[in-house]
């Protein structure tokens, strides 16, 4: 993988590459131990007195028999500790005063035999020395410790759907009172949605590297066409994921979408198995995860030399909508993602009616954008929050006014499937989405994925 020494100009990033391991918590492009401690302090400030916060790791997901899918840590636990090991449980207690706060880390202690198979994991010593826990225990001690910690506890912040095994342990402690259980996600997401200066550096790096991978894909598409006959969506999916990982991503941020022609009208198309033949449009939606932070980029481009006239017509509309929506990504105390979304729908309707692509009256746009036809051709939100998860901090309402430090996507799209007979035939089979990652700045929005040509 790659590590970078970073210096910034406004909206730009220059890097000098050196080698790095994913576990290097003190990397220039990693969150420092002090920042993890500061996060815990800020969360503790949100907790009422005599309360407990419990964050279990994700359960391992079985691929087959004794083979498991690659493990990805539960995001809030990672945000609070930096610990990436499975079988981990974070517990933070706030006592009867604001100063009485401590956290315990429960880890899965492996035998030497298990370490031979799975490698060394975080143990009791590492939990305190490397991750700052006040105390650490084997995870098998969790039931007994919770019995002590909850003796005078009035509230427990926990998500029942987080981990079935931990739920079975925790549920008896909060079921004694109907108002004892509170949402840990909603509390932590309030903090996660605003990125710190170090998180902004990570987001800039993740998005820049993702954009460069897209740019390289466009340049190397001709090589792929000559090498693979017939060329398939799967070849392109493999290549963009290869480029993302070559640029330093430790993982793919989400299943890549590589959709040719009519497949691009399926919003979350992930089959990626059809032949790419002819001169139609290709939609690629992909991103990488860099030290826990995600990029999310979509580009739609012709496999041949240029777009057809109907394709160009629709593409220009989508690009116009995107540019105008990005310009509205300002922290004016009023504008939210929902406002920008409604704005995008009205521009789409206006443009499509003026170009006679859909029927309608310009004086009835508010009615048109709620019609079944319009919901089919523009069915998804114009954007979402972005950060440690690709659809980040989902408990934060999209009606929340934008604030400096937020990162959002702006990704308008139009989708005209082959069987959409309400539109002229020349537009059918065309799906177009253009997506960039936007940092909300004090002044103008900063496009973090600008290096990927549109």
């Amino acid at each position: 993988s790659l590590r970078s020494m970073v210096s910034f100009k406004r909206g730009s990033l220059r890097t000098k590459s050196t080698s790095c391991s994913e576990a290097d918590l003190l990397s220039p492009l990693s969150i420092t131990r002090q920042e993890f401690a500061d996060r815990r302090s800020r969360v503790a400030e949100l907790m009422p007195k005599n309360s407990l916060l419990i964050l279990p790791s994700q359960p391992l997901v079985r691929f087959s028999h004794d083979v498991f899918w690659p493990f990805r840590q539960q995001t809030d636990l990672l945000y609070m500790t930096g610990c990436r090991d499975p079988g981990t449980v974070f517990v933070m207690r706030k006592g009867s005063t604001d100063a009485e706060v401590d956290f315990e880390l429960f880890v899965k202690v492996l035998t030497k035999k298990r370490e031979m198979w799975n490698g060394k994991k975080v143990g009791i010593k590492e939990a305190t020395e490397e991750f700052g826990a006040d105390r650490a225990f084997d995870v098998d001690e969790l039931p007994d410790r919770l019995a002590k910690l909850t003796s005078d506890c009035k509230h427990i912040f926990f998500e029942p759907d987080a981990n079935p095994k931990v739920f079975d342990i925790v549920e008896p402690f909060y079921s004694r009172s109907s108002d004892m259980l509170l949402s840990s996600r909603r509390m932590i997401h309030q903090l996660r949605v605003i990125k710190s200066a170090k998180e902004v550096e990570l987001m800039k790096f993740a998005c820049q590297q993702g954009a460069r991978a897209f740019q390289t894909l466009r340049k190397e598409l001709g090589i792929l066409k000559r090498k693979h006959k017939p060329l398939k969506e799967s070849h392109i999916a493999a290549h963009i994921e290869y480029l993302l990982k070559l640029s330093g991503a430790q993982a793919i941020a989400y299943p890549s979408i590589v959709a040719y022609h009519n497949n691009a009208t399926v919003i979350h198309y992930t089959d990626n198995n059809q032949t790419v033949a002819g001169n139609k449009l290709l939609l690629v939606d992909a991103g990488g995860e860099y030290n826990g932070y995600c990029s999310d980029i979509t580009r739609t481009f012709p496999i041949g030399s240029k777009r057809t006239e109907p394709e160009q017509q629709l593409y220009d509309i989508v690009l116009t909508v995107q540019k105008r929506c990005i310009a509205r990504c300002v922290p004016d105390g009023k504008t939210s993602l929902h406002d920008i979304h409604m704005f995008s729908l009205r521009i789409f309707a206006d443009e499509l009616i003026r170009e006679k692509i859909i029927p309608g009256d310009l004086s009835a746009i508010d009615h048109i954008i709620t019609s079944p036809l319009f919901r089919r051709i523009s069915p998804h939100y114009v954007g979402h929050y972005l950060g440690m998860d690709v659809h980040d901090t989902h408990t934060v309402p999209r009606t929340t006014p934008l604030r400096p430090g937020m990162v959002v996507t702006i990704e308008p799209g139009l989708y005209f499937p082959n069987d959409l007979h309400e539109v002229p035939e020349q537009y059918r089979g065309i799906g177009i989405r253009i997506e960039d990652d936007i940092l909300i700045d004090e002044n103008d929005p900063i496009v973090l994925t600008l290096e990927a040509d549109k």
Side-chain angles (χ1 to χ4, degrees):
S1 63
L2 299 177
R3 182 172 73 185
S4 296
M5 308 299 290
V6 185
S7 62
F8 293 102
K9 285 186 176 179
R10 177 168 176 76
S12 67
L13 173 65
R14 298 192 302 274
T15 63
K16 178 182 177 182
S17 297
T18 60
S19 62
C20 148
S21 73
E22 180 182 0
D24 183 6
L25 293 176
L26 301 182
S27 158
L29 279 177
S30 291
I31 302 302
T32 65
R33 292 173 186 166
Q34 183 58 52
E35 182 155 337
F36 284 118
D38 292 342
R39 290 172 176 179
R40 294 191 291 270
S41 295
R42 291 199 305 274
V43 170
E45 290 173 2
L46 298 175
M47 296 170 62
K49 295 180 178 66
N50 296 312
S51 61
L52 211 60
L53 168 62
I54 304 172
L55 301 173
S57 62
Q58 300 271 29
L60 290 170
V61 179
R62 195 176 297 275
F63 182 85
S64 66
H65 182 46
D66 58 353
V67 178
F68 294 87
W69 288 99
F71 177 73
R72 186 179 191 270
Q73 186 59 279
Q74 198 279 335
T75 312
D76 289 337
L77 191 157
L78 184 63
Y79 179 79
M80 296 290 280
T81 67
C83 181
R84 295 178 178 271
D85 279 6
T88 306
V89 181
F90 167 96
V91 178
M92 187 161 72
R93 181 187 70 91
K94 184 171 183 177
S96 57
T97 67
D98 290 336
E100 192 180 348
V101 177
D102 52 40
F103 105 83
E104 300 179 357
L105 200 58
F106 295 80
V107 297
K108 189 174 182 63
V109 178
L110 299 183
T111 64
K112 292 294 182 183
K113 184 177 180 180
R114 293 313 305 170
E115 284 186 356
M116 179 179 71
W117 285 94
N118 298 323
K120 188 169 178 59
K121 303 296 181 183
V122 173
I124 302 297
K125 181 180 179 181
E126 292 85 359
T128 55
E129 292 183 358
E130 295 185 20
F131 294 97
D134 296 295
R135 289 173 294 278
F137 303 91
D138 189 306
V139 73
D140 291 339
E141 298 183 56
L142 182 63
D144 291 340
R145 286 297 300 164
L146 286 182
K148 295 177 181 179
L149 293 170
T150 58
S151 60
D152 59 351
C153 181
K154 295 181 179 179
H155 297 288
I156 294 177
F157 290 86
F158 176 70
E159 298 297 338
D161 62 353
N163 184 308
K165 289 184 179 180
V166 179
F167 167 79
D168 290 340
I169 297 170
V170 176
E171 194 268 342
F173 296 110
Y174 67 73
S175 60
R176 59 194 184 213
S177 173
S178 60
D179 62 350
M180 193 171 186
L181 179 66
L182 299 174
S183 172
S184 60
R185 286 190 194 120
R186 291 183 184 280
M187 177 173 62
I188 296 172
H189 286 188
Q190 294 177 51
L191 302 179
R192 279 180 46 200
V193 74
I194 306 296
K195 308 300 184 283
S196 69
K198 178 59 70 173
E199 287 181 297
V200 168
E201 287 184 15
L202 278 160
M203 290 301 301
K204 285 184 175 181
F205 181 76
C207 295
Q208 183 204 55
Q209 297 301 91
R212 289 177 175 178
F214 266 77
Q215 198 70 352
T216 303
L217 175 68
R218 294 283 294 272
K219 293 176 181 177
E220 296 180 354
L221 195 58
I223 299 173
L224 292 177
K225 289 168 69 176
R226 291 191 296 272
K227 184 176 180 180
H228 303 287
K229 296 183 178 180
L231 179 65
K232 291 185 175 293
E233 294 165 339
S234 58
H235 297 138
I236 300 169
H239 200 64
I240 186 63
E241 291 177 7
Y242 158 78
L243 291 169
L244 287 165
K245 289 194 173 183
L246 195 66
S247 72
Q250 291 97 2
I252 301 306
Y254 53 93
S256 301
I257 297 170
V258 178
Y260 182 61
H261 190 33
N262 191 63
N263 294 337
T265 67
V266 179
I267 312 304
H268 286 163
Y269 172 84
T270 55
D271 290 346
N272 301 344
N273 61 6
Q274 298 300 302
T275 298
V276 176
N279 184 27
K280 303 296 183 180
L281 294 181
L282 179 76
L283 185 153
V284 180
D285 185 338
E289 185 179 303
Y290 300 78
N291 282 0
Y293 289 80
C294 299
S295 61
D296 184 3
I297 306 167
T298 307
R299 293 292 184 265
T300 308
F301 47 86
I303 283 295
S305 58
K306 62 180 182 179
R307 302 177 185 92
T308 64
E309 186 174 337
E311 289 170 349
Q312 188 66 56
Q313 192 178 8
L314 292 178
Y315 188 89
D316 288 343
I317 291 173
V318 175
L319 186 59
T320 295
V321 170
Q322 198 212 27
K323 288 179 177 179
R324 294 183 65 180
C325 287
I326 290 173
R328 290 207 165 201
C329 291
V330 292
D332 57 8
K334 299 178 293 182
T335 303
S336 66
L337 271 177
H338 179 72
D339 295 327
I340 296 171
H341 174 66
M342 297 307 297
F343 177 69
S344 74
L345 296 182
R346 292 186 175 92
I347 305 172
F348 268 142
D350 184 88
E351 294 282 343
L352 292 169
I353 292 169
R354 289 183 188 278
E355 297 290 332
K356 296 182 170 50
I357 298 171
I358 63 170
D361 186 338
L362 289 173
S363 65
I365 281 182
D366 285 345
H367 173 72
I368 289 168
I369 62 177
T370 62
S371 68
L373 172 60
F374 200 83
R375 286 176 175 173
R376 179 62 190 89
I377 63 177
S378 184
H380 61 75
Y381 237 82
V382 77
H384 55 79
Y385 304 115
L386 183 67
M388 297 180 76
D389 291 324
V390 67
H391 291 161
D392 204 45
T393 57
H394 61 273
T395 66
V396 177
R398 286 183 170 124
T399 53
T400 304
L402 296 176
R403 292 168 56 192
M406 287 181 172
V407 179
V408 301
T409 67
I410 295 296
E411 49 178 308
L414 288 176
Y415 310 91
F416 295 80
N418 280 331
D419 59 358
L420 190 68
H421 298 294
E422 294 91 334
V423 300
E425 184 176 0
Q426 65 265 33
Y427 301 108
R428 298 175 201 164
I430 299 176
I432 296 170
R433 182 165 64 253
I434 307 172
E435 177 180 21
D436 282 289
D437 303 336
I438 315 299
L439 171 65
I440 309 303
D441 189 46
E442 291 282 358
N443 301 305
D444 298 326
I446 299 175
V447 181
L448 302 179
T449 43
L450 197 60
E451 291 191 39
D453 287 346
K454 291 184 276 195

